[in-house]
């Protein structure tokens, strides 16, 4: 889970890292009051979990409280790369004498964390890294030792950061380890005209797997909750992601479901969602999943693709029958069952003999069928032209 | 021969007495795995009956190794205790730890990988289905009845895609199938398995299954180009996955321009690897390669 900038800022402050004075609000009048408390002149920053805010007009300087209100009115409700701005942060401006970049990031290749540091913060660090890799230092961290003062000094020197940043580097490592973060990034880390080292903007990604021992952010709504279908699925404990197409997809196992989306896209149709019922799914999970997908008005047909490894196909079939009995099915369902108890599962569906449910013997054949049904229902020849969203 | 796991392997199960551990220990035994014991300090000294076999429970991995000569452990313990379980196994000098547990915090995985590596313990997983050498041994949760012994080696990030490919190629059979897991930090990589299959006299062809996220497949492609002479056929899932959305596996997330399925496919094809567009087509490519080798 990514934190909002204002949450990262609070976290840094709690760990003794200097940050600009700031307040968060969801209203223009609140912005005016905050600006007044902060001394009048403020930076108004959209709170969204995506980069490129500045370019999108989501970060602006306001000269006084009245201007802050006006600016907040412009920014609140703005759409930045598909993220609606619900809150703005108002921060005291800082006199900047130098801008640096620092992050701790998981390095999959080595299976441990890396420190990344550069004296060229404040701009597109990816671009600096691509064009002048020597300007960006990458230092592996031994997980058993972590970032000690000596290690921090090594990182600062390698990245060309001033020695005063050593203390901040140690504290940021504490944020990473104690909060179970996968990424802690400060860009820019600045030296003020007064010589203080201050985290001007930060990004923190927390490990969802560690939620059982990190209660701090447990009640924060995630962005997924903004989509009503994703919220409904989350409430039922389903692993569901809404997409833009017309073919509803249910399968077991993340890899097989991703593959199913691709195979459907290869048949000139677009998947409406990702839904993984997981290993060993019960009839109830299958029924819940089907009911979420059938409640999506964009769905024109549904493809149930299950390879029973641990999952038993008869339980999946029972779940489908259970859903058929509780919802009025108006959309065609294509079901492909293979593996564990597949014969029994197919027999259960044959026995129910619902006119809108058909079975297929192969994954590719089922995908073609579900795609054709969706395109026939959509009644448009244009769908094929929009199907090629892969590989971008 | 096969890789990592044979009929000689003596297998301990950490977390055997839990519900998942019980279910899968029974399945492993049915598949012919030599399960020599479970580990649970609170139930040490007891035995657990699986059909016609009584399996002893040891108080620690070290006791289990001393009593049985075990060289493999399969870990089913819950996420909060997985780090301690793997460190205990590495301390006891186990050769291979197969970590099935899903949802282990990444900081814990980073810690136990570094610890195990320093002690010469190979880890497979976490969040993986384990590995199977059909007809010999099964360490984990891969269904043993999908296919039979053969000469294809398979390495995969995804469990169900492993099963799907095993099913598509069930009449050909497999030397060993390794599910390396979909987490961002894993012990045994595609490259480790490619190297092992290249050296395995019982493997003629390697199937590599990848998915979006990270650059493991790109690195595997470079390894194939430089070090693998056996034919490799690949499948990549996730062409339609949107940027920034996690598709179930913690590792399966595309960020920015890196980690896309297209980039992986291109890297593999540039290394001479045939890449199928669906699991079924991938199986057809395997059959074609095997035919042309004859």
């Amino acid at each position: 889970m990514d934190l909002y900038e204002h949450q990262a800022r609070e976290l840094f402050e709690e760990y003794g890292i200097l940050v600009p004075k700031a307040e968060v609000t969801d209203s223009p009048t609140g912005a005016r009051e905050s600006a007044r408390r902060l001394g009048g002149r403020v930076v108004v920053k959209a709170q969204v979990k995506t980069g490129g805010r500045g370019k999108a007009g989501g970060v602006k300087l306001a000269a006084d409280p009245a201007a802050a209100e006006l600016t907040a009115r412009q920014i609140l409700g703005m759409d930045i790369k598909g993220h609606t701005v619900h809150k703005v942060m108002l921060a005291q401006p800082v006199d900047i004498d130098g801008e640096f970049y620092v992050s701790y990031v998981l390095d999959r290749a080595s299976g441990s964390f890396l420190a990344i540091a550069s004296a060229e913060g404040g701009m597109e660090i990816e671009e600096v890294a691509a064009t002048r890799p020597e300007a960006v230092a990458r230092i592996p961290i031994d997980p058993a030792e972590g970032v000690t003062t000596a290690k921090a000094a090594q990182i600062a020197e390698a990245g060309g950061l001033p020695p005063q940043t050593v203390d901040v580097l140690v504290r940021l490592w504490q944020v990473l380890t104690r909060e179970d973060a996968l990424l802690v990034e400060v860009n820019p880390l600045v030296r003020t005209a007064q010589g203080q080292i201050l985290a001007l903007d930060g990004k923190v990604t927390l490990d969802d797997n560690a939620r059982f021992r990190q209660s701090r952010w447990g009640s924060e709504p995630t962005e997924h909750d903004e989509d009503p279908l994703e919220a409904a699925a989350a409430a039922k404990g389903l692993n569901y992601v809404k997409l833009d197409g017309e073919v509803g997809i249910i399968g077991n196992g993340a890899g097989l479901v991703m593959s199913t989306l691709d195979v459907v896209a290869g048949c000139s149709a677009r998947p409406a969602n990702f839904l993984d019922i997981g290993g060993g799914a019960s009839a109830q999970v299958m029924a819940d999943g089907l009911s979420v997908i059938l409640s999506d008005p964009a769905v024109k047909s549904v493809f149930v693709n299950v390879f029973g490894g641990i999952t038993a196909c008869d339980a999946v079939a029972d779940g489908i029958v259970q859903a058929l009995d509780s919802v009025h099915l108006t959309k065609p369902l294509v079901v492909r069952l293979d593996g564990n108890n597949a014969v029994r599962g197919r027999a259960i569906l044959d026995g129910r003999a619902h006119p809108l449910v058909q079975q297929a013997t192969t994954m590719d054949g089922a995908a073609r069928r579900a795609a054709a049904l969706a395109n026939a229902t959509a009644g448009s020849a244009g769908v094929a032209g929009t199907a090629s969203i892969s590989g971008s | 021969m096969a890789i990592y796991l044979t009929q000689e392997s003596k297998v301990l199960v950490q977390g055997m007495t839990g519900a998942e551990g019980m279910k899968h220990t029974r399945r492993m035994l049915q598949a012919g795995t030599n399960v020599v014991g479970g580990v649970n300090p609170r139930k040490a000294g007891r035995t657990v009956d699986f059909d016609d076999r009584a399996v002893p429970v040891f108080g620690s991995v070290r006791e289990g190794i001393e009593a049985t000569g075990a060289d493999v452990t399969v870990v089913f313990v819950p996420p909060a205790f997985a780090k301690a379980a793997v460190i205990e196994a590495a301390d006891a000098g186990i050769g291979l730890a197969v970590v099935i547990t899903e949802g282990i915090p990444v900081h814990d995985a980073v810690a136990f990988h570094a610890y195990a590596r320093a002690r010469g313990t190979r880890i497979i997983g976490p969040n993986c289905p384990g590995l199977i050498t059909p007809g010999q041994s099964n360490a984990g949760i891969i269904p043993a009845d999908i296919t039979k012994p053969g000469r294809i080696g398979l390495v995969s990030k995804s469990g169900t895609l492993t099963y799907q490919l095993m099913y598509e190629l069930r009449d050909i059979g497999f030397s060993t199938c390794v599910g390396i897991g979909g987490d961002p930090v894993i012990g045994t990589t595609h490259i480790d398995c490619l190297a092992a299959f290249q050296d395995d006299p019982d493997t003629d062809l390697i199937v590599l299954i990848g998915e979006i996220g990270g650059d493991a497949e790109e690195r595997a492609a470079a390894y194939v180009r430089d070090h693998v002479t056996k034919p490799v056929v690949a499948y990549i899932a996730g062409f339609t996955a949107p940027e920034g959305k996690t598709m179930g596996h913690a590792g399966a997330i595309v960020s920015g321009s890196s980690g896309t399925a297209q980039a992986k496919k291109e890297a593999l094809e540039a290394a001479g690897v045939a890449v199928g567009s669906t699991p079924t087509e991938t199986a057809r490519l395997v059959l074609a390669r095997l035919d042309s080798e004859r």
Side-chain angles (χ1 to χ4, degrees):
Chain A
M1 179 182 76
D2 291 341
L3 294 185
Y4 288 103
E5 179 196 8
H6 70 89
Q7 295 172 322
R9 180 196 160 280
E10 284 167 28
L11 205 53
F12 293 163
E13 190 171 38
E14 197 179 304
Y15 278 79
I17 297 163
L18 286 179
V19 290
K21 277 207 171 55
E23 292 187 15
V24 184
T25 179
D26 59 2
S27 76
T29 50
R32 174 193 280 262
E33 286 157 25
S34 290
R36 186 177 297 129
R37 280 193 292 271
L38 291 165
R41 191 162 167 269
V42 290
V43 185
V44 186
K45 303 175 90 174
Q47 296 299 290
V48 283
K49 296 176 180 181
T50 182
R53 288 180 306 172
K55 283 180 191 157
V59 180
K60 284 187 172 147
L61 190 66
D64 55 43
E69 178 177 342
L70 199 67
T71 306
R73 200 177 296 282
Q74 290 166 356
I75 293 176
L76 286 166
M78 185 185 268
D79 180 278
I80 300 178
K81 291 185 183 171
H83 299 254
T84 307
V85 181
H86 295 298
K87 287 182 179 175
V88 289
M89 185 172 91
L90 301 103
Q92 278 183 349
V94 173
D95 289 333
I96 296 169
D97 179 48
E99 294 188 299
F100 315 102
Y101 174 92
V102 61
S103 65
Y104 295 117
V105 58
L106 183 67
D107 176 32
R108 292 168 181 239
S110 70
S112 57
F113 285 90
L114 274 181
I116 302 180
S118 174
E120 304 196 26
M123 59 173 90
E124 296 287 334
I125 190 73
E126 290 89 351
E127 202 179 306
V128 176
T131 53
R132 285 179 302 108
E134 72 283 358
V136 180
R138 300 160 61 91
I139 297 117
I141 313 282
D142 179 344
E145 287 182 20
V147 177
T148 57
T149 303
K151 187 74 183 180
Q154 187 199 335
I155 295 165
E157 194 187 337
L161 274 48
Q164 306 101 288
T165 60
V166 165
D167 177 60
V168 174
L169 289 170
V170 171
R171 290 174 192 274
L172 286 171
W173 180 258
Q174 290 168 355
V175 173
L176 184 90
T177 52
R178 293 184 193 164
E179 300 295 324
D180 267 307
L182 301 179
L183 169 73
V184 172
E185 179 182 68
V186 182
N187 188 31
L189 181 71
V190 301
R191 182 175 54 216
T192 65
Q194 295 75 37
Q196 289 177 315
I197 300 296
L198 197 130
L200 206 59
D201 194 350
K203 187 179 173 191
V204 173
T205 304
L206 301 177
D207 181 3
D208 290 331
N209 281 356
R211 280 191 177 206
F212 67 84
R213 64 186 180 199
Q214 298 285 354
S215 53
R216 184 198 298 261
W217 309 103
S219 59
E220 282 287 324
T222 69
E223 276 173 275
H224 284 201
D225 299 342
E226 288 179 13
D227 182 286
L229 284 163
E230 290 189 348
K236 288 176 173 165
L238 295 168
N239 194 346
Y240 172 92
V241 178
K242 177 81 180 93
L243 300 169
D244 293 334
E246 301 79 30
V247 180
I249 310 265
I250 308 180
N252 64 322
L256 183 64
V257 181
M258 275 191 277
S259 169
T260 308
L261 306 186
D262 293 348
V263 173
V264 166
C267 297
S268 302
R270 298 184 308 165
N273 66 276
F274 169 100
L275 174 52
D276 172 16
I277 57 171
S282 64
Q284 187 61 47
V285 170
M286 183 65 212
D288 287 348
L290 203 49
S291 70
V292 167
I293 286 183
L294 291 171
S295 67
D296 178 355
V299 165
K300 302 283 186 264
S301 71
V302 180
F303 177 11
V304 179
N305 186 22
V306 170
F307 190 92
I310 307 311
T311 308
C313 289
D314 51 343
V316 171
D318 283 338
I320 295 171
V321 169
Q322 193 179 316
L324 292 175
D325 291 342
S326 59
V327 292
H328 175 60
L329 185 67
T330 55
K331 298 159 183 177
L333 218 64
V334 182
V335 183
R336 175 264 180 166
L337 301 175
D338 259 322
N340 186 10
N341 289 354
V343 174
R344 227 180 298 167
R346 293 183 202 133
I348 289 167
L349 291 182
D350 283 342
R352 182 64 171 75
H354 193 288
L356 284 172
V357 178
Q358 45 183 291
Q359 299 198 59
T361 52
T362 67
M363 178 168 158
D364 290 9
R368 276 194 298 274
R369 192 77 203 113
L373 286 165
N375 290 340
T377 314
S380 105
V383 176
T386 59
S388 177
I389 54 173
S390 65
S392 58
Chain B
M1 261 294 291
I3 69 167
Y4 304 145
L5 186 74
T6 69
Q7 57 199 359
E8 313 297 326
S9 303
K10 293 180 179 171
V11 178
L12 287 175
V13 181
Q14 288 173 270
M16 184 180 80
T17 50
E20 287 297 294
M22 289 290 287
K23 178 167 107 186
H24 292 291
T25 300
R26 174 168 282 115
R27 294 169 74 118
M28 284 190 266
L29 285 163
Q30 285 166 354
T33 309
N34 187 12
V35 178
V36 295
V39 178
N40 182 338
R42 293 187 312 279
K43 295 184 178 171
R46 298 190 204 172
T47 57
V48 179
D49 289 327
F50 293 94
D51 306 322
D52 58 344
R53 185 148 171 185
V55 176
V57 180
F58 298 101
S60 68
V61 176
R62 189 177 299 281
E63 283 174 34
I65 291 174
E66 281 166 3
T68 66
D71 51 2
V72 176
T73 178
V74 184
V75 180
F76 285 103
V77 305
F81 310 105
K83 177 180 164 184
V86 175
I87 283 178
E88 182 197 330
D91 270 339
I94 202 94
L96 175 65
V98 182
V99 187
I100 308 299
T101 310
E102 179 179 356
I104 297 175
V106 170
H107 280 272
D108 289 3
V110 166
F112 70 60
H113 282 305
Y115 195 88
R117 198 178 301 135
R119 283 155 188 80
T121 295
R122 169 174 297 284
I123 291 175
I124 293 179
N127 188 16
C128 78
L131 72 165
I132 181 169
T133 296
Q136 296 191 41
S137 190
N138 187 15
I141 65 174
I142 297 175
D145 55 0
I146 298 177
T147 185
K148 59 179 187 179
R151 302 188 61 82
I152 303 171
L154 184 148
V155 52
S156 170
K157 273 186 185 175
S158 153
T160 38
L161 279 176
T162 301
Y163 312 160
Q164 178 70 31
L165 261 299
M166 287 167 70
Y167 178 74
E168 302 263 6
L169 294 162
R170 61 191 178 280
D171 295 334
I172 310 295
F174 291 81
S175 52
T176 302
C177 302
V178 189
I180 57 177
D183 273 7
V185 177
I186 52 172
T188 296
T189 63
H190 282 117
I191 291 176
D192 294 331
C193 293
L194 287 167
F197 282 130
Q198 171 68 25
D199 290 342
D200 175 27
D202 290 343
T203 299
D204 292 339
L205 179 147
I206 305 162
V207 174
L208 182 151
I209 303 173
E211 63 188 29
I212 51 164
D215 65 349
E217 292 81 359
E218 286 88 334
R219 283 182 282 120
Y223 187 85
V224 169
R225 187 190 57 217
D226 297 338
H227 301 286
V228 180
T229 56
K230 293 180 181 177
V232 181
V233 176
Y235 175 71
I236 303 291
F239 282 88
T240 40
E243 188 180 316
K245 293 270 193 180
T246 304
M247 292 284 180
H249 286 164
I253 181 164
V254 178
S255 51
S257 58
S258 72
T260 63
Q262 187 64 28
K264 293 172 189 302
K265 179 176 193 276
E266 286 168 8
L268 286 161
E269 286 180 340
V273 175
V275 182
S277 62
T278 71
T280 308
E281 199 209 5
T282 307
R284 275 200 296 270
L285 291 171
V286 170
L287 295 176
R289 282 306 291 265
L290 288 174
D291 276 347
S292 70
E293 298 283 314
R294 279 194 192 110

